[in-house]
């Protein structure tokens, strides 16, 4: 086995995994705060990719402003989704909300197809010209570095927001005890909206990064990465923020190792295998101490 | 001056009629206690006042403002603070962050810092454990944290739900001492207690709840002498 090939797949896995981690963070934060698996999260990732694509190809923006605009728009979409689809169901049985989430996912996909068309689209080549970087006999592309670097930067930013800002502390309080949080004067609905905004913004950034990695954007691109990131969140322990990061990298690397050692036919099956194993062996996730279930 | 005025309050949990035409008042500066057996509706009364459960009829007035069915987070902003039954501290946050969250709505930063020091003076054990996760504290320490967190809002009226529940006698006395101290420094208190004797000893006035309705009321001294109260709540 050529170790260069292995190294290349490992680097691919890290780059891809960092995007899964960004998506998984949104799943896990929303679950942590309202115990909802937001199935439409992968579709917000897809919208983020389109927003970025349009900003770059139609408005000639460069990557960073395009990403910021896309993140802001996706945050608005996330807040709107919560406001019109989920908030009216806060007191409803979970299954009702879950079905609504699946419905929202299908709706967003259909709207995207209507508005953007069903065809694959790609980022203009000049957006990020490919550069090859050689480290000895290992080859890294600048795109991989940009993807990894952006993801890490956003994760650090999230860490600072969650742990050191007032709203971040309120978010953690709400995830632990909504009633007690209200008694502190915390507006729980606003904190939930903020959580959707942050999660959606991270997903949008991931959408652009994946769009660049595969150079392809389409209305259904959210389904598989969304599913894999969901498995990543479950693997790390859903509701646990560092767990989502760990799970994301794990899934990205595992997927590419299967390609390296087996066949790329099975790359998408990894997610299902991991999901089944986790649910069988440790449903609370690798970083979960106990089942996080609370009433 | 009437600080809190509750009139003819009715609360239902589905089909359960938990509060029936409950009325009472609290004057500024008082300690008022609400006593009653398990399930009498004491916690429900506090939850209705602080906005955690909706009322179906009746009214709640605080400082002359109608707060009936106002969202709980808004009521908290009026300096009416509820320290709930079972402590409800934020287990995975540090003692200090719990206390900071108590002051969530306050903008007077310098005063908040002073109040933090005041809470640490009142409960030195919290000061020693300020970096520790709230969930790792003992039951008594969690109760101190819950009360300290309530104090961080700088409340005019504090609702305390069974602050002595499950604590050793020495700690119970400590908690009651602190309640009197909080009251002396200007906070009005509505105290719910199973420990009727100690509650009546610190309170000015009391209401007795039975099956969701106010059965008796009077000064604490009167109720301590009342035959029915002695039989039912003071162990003869
Ligand atoms: N969430 C709820 N759903 C349904 N019924 C409830 C709920 N909370 C309380 N009740 C019922 O309402 C009544 C009053 O309960 P409440 O908790 O106010 O009593 P309490 O006087 O505080 O009792 P304790 O001393 O045990 O704390 C009880 O019959 C209780 O079973
Ligand atoms: Mg109670």
């Amino acid at each position: 086995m050529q170790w260069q090939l292995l190294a290349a797949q490992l680097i691919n896995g890290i780059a891809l995994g960092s995007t899964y981690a960004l998506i998984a963070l949104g799943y896990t934060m929303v679950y942590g705060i309202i115990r909802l698996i937001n199935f439409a999260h992968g579709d917000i990732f897809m919208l983020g990719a389109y927003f970025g694509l349009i900003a770059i190809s139609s408005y000639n923006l460069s990557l960073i402003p395009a990403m910021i605009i896309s993140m802001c728009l996706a945050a608005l979409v996330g807040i709107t989704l919560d406001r019109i689809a989920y908030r009216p169901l806060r007191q409803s049985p979970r299954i009702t909300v879950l079905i609504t989430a699946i419905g929202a996912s299908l709706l967003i996909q259909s709207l995207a197809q209507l508005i953007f068309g069903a065809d694959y689209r790609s980022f203009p080549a000049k957006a990020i010209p490919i550069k090859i970087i050689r480290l000895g006999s290992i080859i890294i592309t600048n795109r991989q570095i940009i993807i990894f670097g952006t993801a890490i930067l956003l994760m650090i930013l999230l860490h600072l927001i969650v742990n050191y800002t007032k709203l971040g502390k309120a978010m953690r309080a709400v995830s632990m005890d909504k009633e007690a949080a209200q008694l502190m004067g915390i507006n729980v609905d606003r904190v939930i909206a903020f959580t959707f905004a942050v999660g959606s913004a991270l997903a949008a950034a991931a959408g652009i990064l994946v769009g660049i990695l595969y150079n392809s954007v389409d209305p259904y691109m959210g389904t598989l990465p969304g599913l894999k990131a969901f498995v990543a969140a479950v693997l790390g322990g859903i509701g646990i923020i560092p767990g989502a990061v760990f799970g994301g990298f794990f899934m990205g690397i595992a997927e590419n190792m299967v390609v390296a050692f087996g066949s790329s036919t099975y790359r998408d099956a990894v997610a299902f295998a991991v999901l089944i194993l986790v649910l069988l062996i440790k449903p609370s996730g690798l970083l979960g101490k106990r089942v996080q279930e609370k009433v | 001056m009437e600080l809190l005025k509750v009139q003819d309050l009715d609360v239902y949990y589905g089909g359960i009629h938990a509060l029936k035409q409950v009325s009472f008042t609290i004057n500024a500066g008082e300690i008022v206690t609400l006593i009653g057996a398990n399930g009498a509706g004491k916690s429900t009364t506090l939850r209705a006042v602080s906005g955690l459960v909706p009322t179906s009829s009746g009214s709640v007035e605080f400082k002359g403002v109608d707060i009936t069915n106002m969202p709980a987070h808004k009521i908290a902003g009026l300096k009416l603070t509820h320290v709930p039954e079972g402590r409800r501290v934020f287990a995975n946050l540090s003692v200090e962050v719990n206390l900071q969250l108590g002051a969530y709505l306050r903008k007077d930063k310098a005063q908040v810092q002073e109040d933090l020091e005041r809470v640490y003076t009142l409960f030195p054990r919290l000061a020693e454990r300020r970096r520790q996760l709230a969930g790792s504290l003992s039951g008594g320490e969690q109760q101190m944290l819950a009360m300290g967190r309530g104090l961080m809002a700088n409340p005019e009226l504090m609702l305390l739900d069974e602050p002595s529940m499950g604590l050793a006698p020495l700690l119970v006395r400590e908690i009651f001492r602190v309640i009197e101290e909080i009251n002396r420094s200007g906070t009005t208190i509505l105290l719910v207690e199973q420990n009727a004797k100690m509650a009546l000893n610190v309170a000015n006035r009391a209401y007795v709840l039975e099956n969701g309705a106010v059965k008796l009321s009077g000064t604490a001294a009167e109720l301590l002498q009342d035959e029915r109260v002695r039989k039912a709540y003071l162990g003869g």
Side-chain angles (χ1 to χ4, degrees), chain A residues 166-167 169-170 172-174 176-188 191 289-290 292, chain B residues 47 50 52 72-73 76 82 84 88 90-93 97-98 100-107 149:
Chain A
K166 210 167 154 174
L167 214 45
K169 289 175 195 170
R172 300 178 66 200
V174 171
M176 288 170 219
D177 189 334
K178 275 189 199 51
E179 269 190 7
Q182 281 175 280
L183 294 180
M184 305 296 109
I186 295 170
N187 183 340
V188 169
V191 171
K289 288 184 200 79
R290 64 202 147 82
Q292 293 268 307
Chain B
R47 293 165 62 79
S50 65
L52 289 180
H73 70 267
H82 181 177
R88 309 284 286 268
F90 301 111
N92 293 329
L93 297 176
V97 173
N98 268 272
Q100 286 169 356
L101 283 166
Y104 187 75
L105 292 174
R106 293 176 64 184
K107 305 269 178 279
R149 188 179 64 177

Side-chain angles (χ1 to χ4, degrees), chain B residues 10-20 39-41 44 54 56 211-212:
Chain B
D10 278 286
V11 170
Y12 290 84
Y13 292 113
I16 301 172
H17 197 173
L19 291 190
K20 298 158 191 156
T44 304
S56 59
N211 292 322

Side-chain angles (χ1 to χ4, degrees), chain A residues 31-110:
Chain A
Y31 184 88
I33 212 147
I34 53 172
R35 310 288 128 142
L36 162 72
I37 311 284
N38 176 19
F39 279 111
H41 190 57
D43 304 296
I44 290 180
F45 155 92
M46 170 273 293
L47 287 181
Y50 271 107
F51 294 152
L53 180 80
I54 291 165
I56 290 173
S57 56
S58 305
Y59 293 90
N60 279 317
L61 294 178
S62 57
L63 181 63
I64 291 172
M67 189 171 281
I68 291 171
I69 288 172
S70 162
M71 289 171 74
C72 292
L73 290 175
L76 283 180
V77 174
I79 291 172
T80 311
L81 174 69
D82 171 53
R83 186 69 191 81
I84 61 183
Y86 301 144
R87 197 198 285 186
L89 302 176
R90 282 295 190 253
Q91 312 300 329
S92 309
R94 274 215 224 164
I95 185 75
T96 314
V97 194
L98 220 54
I99 291 167
T100 306
I102 294 170
S105 164
L106 295 175
L107 179 72
I108 295 175
Q109 286 176 11
S110 308

